[in-house]
């Protein structure tokens, strides 16, 4: 397969991005953009979403070379070096727990009929760095509607695959494998919560969590679990690998909150990636700037207690 990847480093990313978006809307996509043909990984036709931020996205290079994906090592540069070892085709997702339609879903069947959108989201890692990322994806709620949660379902649990032959990081006990995360059903149904299958209009790179990865833009980055193979609806709060590793430092909710510091550092400001070492820090916004949309999910809750 010839991948006709634009070299974002050769042009200003925004310019190229807009040019590409133009092509997309003109419907010239499949042949010109070299997407994966019958696969719907990145979609020839991402729809522009009103949920996007107006902020300028980071470059393709920033987004695909500075990563956290501990299955491939703990250095930021490790995932870009080693994630190619992961085989993602074919891919299946096991769906179970409190749903009417459990089963082992082939990736293609799972996303069949779903319209992919472009969502430019702010992204904030708990470590203090941030980016703006033009995802391709769709609201998780669309999948949940397909699989029909029972009324007793209160949470959604996610798991990354466990395959130490391809993911050497899983041979070390840095985290409890497989990587696990969870959301309340209200968080999972919120239209801002997406499953991503691509970025910058093309198939999701493996270091970013191909072929299917969660993105919850108002929460710290570790909630956005990569390379998902299991989705389970439960009536009990799911385990999360980071919470298991250090419950005092990483709570279940982990909403971005400049007023609640990490026990070892302040969360008041963030370092935007990509503007050089001396880039000015930005003030971190409550709920990462998505408060108007999501604050009501937590009304009456003490966000210091439920960190
Ligand atoms: N399976 C898995 N998912 C993961 C991680 C990981 O180590 N393993 N790291 C998390 C963390 S800490 C962050 S900040 C984001 C990073 O996403 P990015 O590399 O696409 O920016 O992925 C999250 N999802
Ligand atoms: Mo993170």
């Amino acid at each position: 397969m010839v991948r006709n990847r634009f070299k974002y480093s050769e042009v200003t990313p925004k310019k190229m991005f807009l040019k590409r978006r133009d092509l997309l809307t003109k419907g010239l996509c499949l042949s010109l953009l070299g997407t994966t043909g019958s696969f719907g990984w990145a979609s020839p036709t991402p729809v522009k979403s009103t949920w996007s931020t107006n902020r300028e996205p980071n470059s393709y290079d920033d987004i695909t070379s500075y990563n956290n994906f501990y299955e491939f090592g703990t250095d930021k540069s490790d995932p870009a070096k080693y994630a190619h070892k992961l085989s993602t085709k074919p891919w299946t997702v096991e769906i179970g727990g409190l749903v009417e339609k459990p089963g082992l879903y082939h990736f293609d069947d799972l996303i069949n009929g779903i319209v992919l959108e472009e969502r430019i989201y702010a992204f904030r890692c708990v470590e203090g760095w941030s980016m703006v990322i033009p995802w391709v994806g769709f609201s998780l709620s669309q999948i949940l509607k397909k699989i029909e949660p029972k009324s007793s379902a209160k949470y959604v649990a996610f798991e990354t695959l466990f395959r130490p032959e391809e993911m050497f990081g899983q041979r070390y006990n840095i985290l409890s494998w497989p990587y696990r995360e969870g959301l309340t059903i209200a968080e999972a149904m919120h239209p801002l919560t997406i499953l991503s299958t691509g970025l910058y209009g093309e198939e999701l790179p493996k270091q970013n969590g191909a072929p299917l990865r969660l993105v919850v833009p108002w929460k710290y980055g570790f909630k956005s679990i990569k390379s998902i193979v299991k989705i389970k609806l439960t009536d009990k709060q799911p385990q999360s690998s980071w919470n298991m590793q250090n419950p005092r430092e990483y709570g279940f909710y982990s909403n971005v909150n400049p007023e609640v510091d990490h026990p070892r550092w302040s969360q008041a400001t963030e370092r935007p990636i990509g503007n050089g070492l001396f880039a000015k820090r930005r003030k971190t916004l409550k709920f990462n700037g998505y408060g108007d949309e999501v604050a009501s999910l937590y009304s009456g809750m003490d966000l210091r207690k439920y960190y």
Side-chain angles (χ1 to χ4, degrees), residues 260-281:
V260 178
D261 288 338
H262 185 281
R264 290 183 282 136
W265 57 81
S266 163
Q267 293 292 26
T269 64
E270 63 200 52
R271 177 173 62 91
I273 298 297
N275 306 332
L277 266 180
F278 304 102
K280 255 179 74 187
R281 293 184 73 91

Side-chain angles (χ1 to χ4, degrees), residues 67-71 123 125 160 179 208 213 221-222 224 226:
N67 301 98
N68 272 336
F69 200 166
Y70 278 15
E71 286 87 336
F123 189 86
C125 174
T160 296
Y179 196 99
N208 294 92
R213 155 295 147 86
F222 68 87
S224 294
K226 297 177 169 181

Side-chain angles (χ1 to χ4, degrees), residues 67-68 70 76 123-129 179 220-223 242 250:
N67 301 98
N68 272 336
Y70 278 15
K76 296 285 177 282
F123 189 86
R124 170 64 156 80
C125 174
V126 74
E127 297 165 331
W129 52 269
Y179 196 99
Y220 290 119
F222 68 87
K223 297 294 291 181
W242 278 102
Y250 309 106

